[in-house]
Amino acid sequence: QLVLTQSPSASASLGASVRLTCTLSSGHRSFGIAWHQQLPEKGPRYLMKLNSDGSHTKGDGVPDRFSGSSSGSERYLTISSLQFEDEAVYYCQTWGTDIQVFGGGTKLTVL
Amino acid sequence: EVQLVESGGGLVQPGGSLRLSCAASGFTFSYYAMTWVRQAPGKGLEWVSAISGRGDTTYYADSVKGRFTISRDESKNTLFMQMNSLRVDDTAVYYCARSGAIVPTILDYWGQGILVPVSS
């Protein structure tokens, strides 16, 4: 079964870096994913597509501070030089033969 | 500029029906698969349904299979979701999203969302 697992929460200080993790279920480590950002009281926004080899393609207007990487079944979103405006819930998303799947989301707090 | 605009939401009673629309512009609509995603109050994102670019293949989450029907009208560049036998737990903000060339993959553009409260 295709499942994405994310930690419910993360926090980091203003100006620091943070790495969020999305873990693919067993047997799906070759899958690519997408990262999405949802600001408070807003709709989701596509950030990037992230492949299993770590290559990634960002969406329109996504700052250079956002980057992606991969290792085995884990997919990462790294945000550097954290700003208060980065405080949001971050979702990973993938797809199978006849299904699309979301992780539970990670709520990022900027201290 | 890609734009997706949902409409058709509103209060509906349990057991009732509603049809959501999503007007698309700024891209070749027929080339892309499209997806509906929902978000219950205070909860995460839940994939609901998707349709291929040609409209010949549809996909549904188990939670809505047999009750919801996704469709598209290429002449109007519009995506639809017919929702029947609505339940209280269908209450959510519904988003449409563009989801990949031909078959559903990543969601790279989102609409602003439309609220569907199901309550008596």
Side-chain angles (χ1 to χ4, degrees):
Chain A
Q1 187 181 3
L2 181 54
V3 175
L4 298 173
T5 303
Q6 299 182 254
S7 297
S9 63
S11 62
S13 299
L14 182 69
S17 293
V18 67
R19 189 175 77 171
L20 307 181
T21 302
C22 173
T23 303
L24 286 150
S25 48
S26 177
H28 301 102
R29 60 190 290 142
S30 66
F31 281 42
I33 69 158
W35 282 104
H36 304 276
Q37 175 194 59
Q38 188 172 32
L39 298 172
E41 306 306 317
K42 298 291 187 183
R45 173 197 183 192
Y46 167 71
L47 293 177
M48 69 181 68
K49 178 185 178 185
L50 175 60
N51 298 315
S52 59
D53 63 359
S55 60
H56 54 279
T57 306
K58 289 195 278 190
D60 298 339
V62 176
D64 292 343
R65 303 185 293 105
F66 290 79
S67 63
S69 58
S70 297
S71 177
S73 61
E74 296 191 329
R75 307 287 178 264
Y76 306 110
L77 173 67
T78 299
I79 312 171
S80 58
S81 302
L82 270 170
Q83 307 295 309
F84 285 125
E85 68 203 44
D86 299 328
E87 192 161 283
V89 179
Y90 292 85
Y91 293 94
C92 55
Q93 175 251 321
T94 191
W95 62 96
T97 303
D98 57 0
I99 191 172
Q100 291 171 298
V101 176
F102 286 94
T106 297
K107 180 176 173 56
L108 174 64
T109 300
V110 179
L111 304 172
Chain B
E1 178 192 7
V2 172
Q3 285 198 329
L4 299 169
V5 180
E6 301 95 339
S7 61
L11 180 64
V12 60
Q13 291 187 337
S17 297
L18 206 61
R19 189 172 88 151
L20 303 182
S21 300
C22 171
S25 61
F27 64 100
T28 304
F29 183 64
S30 60
Y31 188 68
Y32 287 90
M34 298 293 293
T35 289
W36 288 100
V37 174
R38 70 185 180 183
Q39 186 170 36
K43 302 297 185 182
L45 301 175
E46 178 189 12
W47 173 71
V48 174
S49 180
I51 186 168
S52 63
R54 297 189 184 95
D56 54 352
T57 307
T58 57
Y59 313 83
Y60 297 96
D62 288 344
S63 58
V64 305
K65 201 172 292 183
R67 300 188 299 123
F68 290 12
T69 302
I70 191 171
S71 62
R72 60 194 298 158
D73 185 334
E74 306 303 326
S75 68
K76 297 180 180 177
N77 284 358
T78 302
L79 174 72
F80 300 102
M81 176 65 80
Q82 177 66 43
M83 303 188 294
N84 298 332
S85 303
L86 281 161
R87 309 190 297 224
V88 171
D89 62 359
D90 292 318
T91 294
V93 175
Y94 285 75
Y95 298 96
C96 69
R98 194 178 83 167
S99 65
I102 304 301
V103 295
T105 55
I106 63 168
L107 312 183
D108 62 355
Y109 287 95
W110 295 76
Q112 83 285 355
I114 190 98
L115 179 63
V116 176
V118 182
S119 174
S120 54

